[in-house]
Coordinates of all heavy atoms in Angstrom, one line a residue:
Chain C
N265 N 9.5 21.1 -7.5 CA 10.5 22.0 -7.4 C 10.3 23.1 -6.4 O 11.2 24.0 -6.1 CB 10.8 22.7 -8.8 CG 11.3 21.6 -9.8 OD1 12.4 21.0 -9.5 ND2 10.6 21.3 -10.8
G266 N 9.1 23.1 -5.8 CA 8.7 24.2 -4.9 C 9.4 24.1 -3.5 O 9.5 25.1 -2.8
G267 N 9.9 23.0 -3.1 CA 10.6 22.9 -1.8 C 9.7 22.6 -0.6 O 10.2 22.4 0.5
E268 N 8.4 22.6 -0.8 CA 7.5 22.4 0.3 C 7.3 20.9 0.6 O 7.1 20.5 1.8 CB 6.2 23.1 0.0 CG 5.3 23.2 1.2 CD 3.9 23.8 0.9 OE1 3.7 24.2 -0.3 OE2 3.0 23.7 1.8
Y269 N 7.3 20.1 -0.4 CA 6.9 18.7 -0.3 C 8.1 17.8 -0.4 O 9.0 17.9 -1.2 CB 5.9 18.3 -1.3 CG 4.6 19.0 -1.2 CD1 4.3 20.2 -1.8 CD2 3.6 18.4 -0.4 CE1 3.1 20.9 -1.6 CE2 2.4 19.1 -0.2 CZ 2.1 20.3 -0.8 OH 0.9 20.9 -0.6
N270 N 8.2 16.8 0.5 CA 9.2 15.8 0.5 C 8.9 14.5 -0.3 O 9.7 13.8 -0.8 CB 9.6 15.3 1.9 CG 10.5 16.3 2.6 OD1 10.2 16.8 3.6 ND2 11.7 16.5 2.0
L271 N 7.6 14.2 -0.3 CA 7.1 13.0 -1.0 C 6.1 13.4 -2.0 O 5.1 14.0 -1.7 CB 6.6 12.0 0.0 CG 6.0 10.7 -0.6 CD1 7.0 9.9 -1.4 CD2 5.4 9.8 0.5
V272 N 6.3 13.1 -3.3 CA 5.3 13.4 -4.3 C 5.0 12.1 -5.0 O 5.8 11.3 -5.6 CB 5.9 14.4 -5.4 CG1 4.9 14.6 -6.5 CG2 6.3 15.7 -4.7
I273 N 3.7 11.7 -5.0 CA 3.2 10.5 -5.5 C 2.5 10.8 -6.8 O 1.5 11.6 -6.9 CB 2.2 9.8 -4.5 CG1 3.1 9.3 -3.3 CG2 1.5 8.6 -5.2 CD1 2.2 8.9 -2.1
L274 N 2.9 10.1 -7.9 CA 2.3 10.3 -9.2 C 1.5 9.1 -9.5 O 2.0 8.1 -10.1 CB 3.3 10.7 -10.3 CG 4.3 11.8 -9.9 CD1 5.4 12.0 -10.9 CD2 3.5 13.1 -9.7
D275 N 0.2 9.1 -9.1 CA -0.6 7.9 -9.2 C -1.1 7.6 -10.6 O -1.6 8.6 -11.2 CB -1.8 8.0 -8.2 CG -2.5 6.7 -8.0 OD1 -1.9 5.6 -7.9 OD2 -3.8 6.8 -8.0
E276 N -0.9 6.4 -11.1 CA -1.3 6.0 -12.5 C -0.4 6.6 -13.6 O -0.7 6.4 -14.8 CB -2.8 6.3 -12.8 CG -3.7 5.6 -11.8 CD -3.8 4.1 -11.8 OE1 -3.1 3.5 -12.6 OE2 -4.5 3.5 -11.0
I277 N 0.6 7.3 -13.2 CA 1.4 8.0 -14.3 C 2.1 7.0 -15.2 O 2.3 7.3 -16.4 CB 2.5 9.0 -13.7 CG1 2.9 10.0 -14.8 CG2 3.7 8.2 -13.1 CD1 3.7 11.1 -14.2
N278 N 2.4 5.8 -14.7 CA 3.1 4.8 -15.5 C 2.3 4.5 -16.8 O 2.9 4.1 -17.8 CB 3.3 3.5 -14.8 CG 4.3 3.6 -13.6 OD1 5.1 4.5 -13.6 ND2 4.2 2.8 -12.6
L279 N 1.0 4.6 -16.7 CA 0.1 4.2 -17.8 C 0.1 5.3 -18.9 O -0.3 5.0 -20.1 CB -1.3 4.1 -17.3 CG -1.8 2.7 -17.0 CD1 -3.1 2.9 -16.2 CD2 -2.1 1.9 -18.2
L280 N 0.5 6.5 -18.6 CA 0.2 7.6 -19.5 C 1.0 7.5 -20.8 O 0.4 7.8 -21.9 CB 0.5 9.0 -18.8 CG -0.3 9.2 -17.5 CD1 -0.1 10.7 -17.0 CD2 -1.8 9.1 -17.8
P281 N 2.3 7.1 -20.8 CA 2.9 7.1 -22.1 C 2.3 6.1 -23.1 O 2.1 6.4 -24.3 CB 4.4 6.6 -21.8 CG 4.5 7.0 -20.4 CD 3.2 6.9 -19.7
S282 N 1.8 4.9 -22.6 CA 1.2 3.9 -23.5 C -0.1 4.4 -24.0 O -0.6 4.0 -25.1 CB 1.1 2.6 -22.9 OG 0.2 2.6 -21.8
L283 N -0.7 5.3 -23.3 CA -2.0 5.9 -23.7 C -1.8 7.2 -24.6 O -2.8 7.8 -25.0 CB -2.9 6.3 -22.5 CG -3.4 5.1 -21.7 CD1 -4.0 5.6 -20.4 CD2 -4.4 4.2 -22.4
K284 N -0.6 7.4 -24.9 CA -0.2 8.6 -25.7 C -0.6 9.9 -25.0 O -1.0 10.9 -25.7 CB -0.8 8.5 -27.1 CG -0.5 7.2 -27.8 CD 0.5 7.3 -28.9 CE 0.7 5.9 -29.6 NZ 1.9 5.3 -29.1
L285 N -0.6 9.9 -23.7 CA -1.0 11.2 -23.0 C 0.2 12.0 -22.6 O 0.0 13.2 -22.2 CB -1.9 10.8 -21.8 CG -3.3 10.4 -22.1 CD1 -4.0 9.7 -20.9 CD2 -4.1 11.6 -22.6
I286 N 1.3 11.4 -22.7 CA 2.6 12.1 -22.4 C 3.7 11.3 -23.0 O 3.6 10.1 -23.1 CB 2.7 12.4 -20.8 CG1 3.9 13.3 -20.5 CG2 2.9 11.0 -20.1 CD1 4.0 13.7 -19.0
N287 N 4.8 12.0 -23.3 CA 6.0 11.3 -23.8 C 6.8 10.9 -22.5 O 6.9 11.6 -21.6 CB 6.9 12.2 -24.6 CG 6.3 12.5 -25.9 OD1 5.7 11.6 -26.6 ND2 6.4 13.8 -26.4

Side-chain angles (χ1 to χ4, degrees):
Chain C
N265 294 301
E268 194 188 347
Y269 294 90
N270 279 119
L271 175 61
V272 178
I273 292 166
L274 307 176
D275 190 41
E276 304 292 359
I277 200 169
N278 294 336
L279 263 167
L280 302 185
S282 65
L283 294 171
K284 313 250 182 260
L285 283 166
I286 188 173
N287 290 321

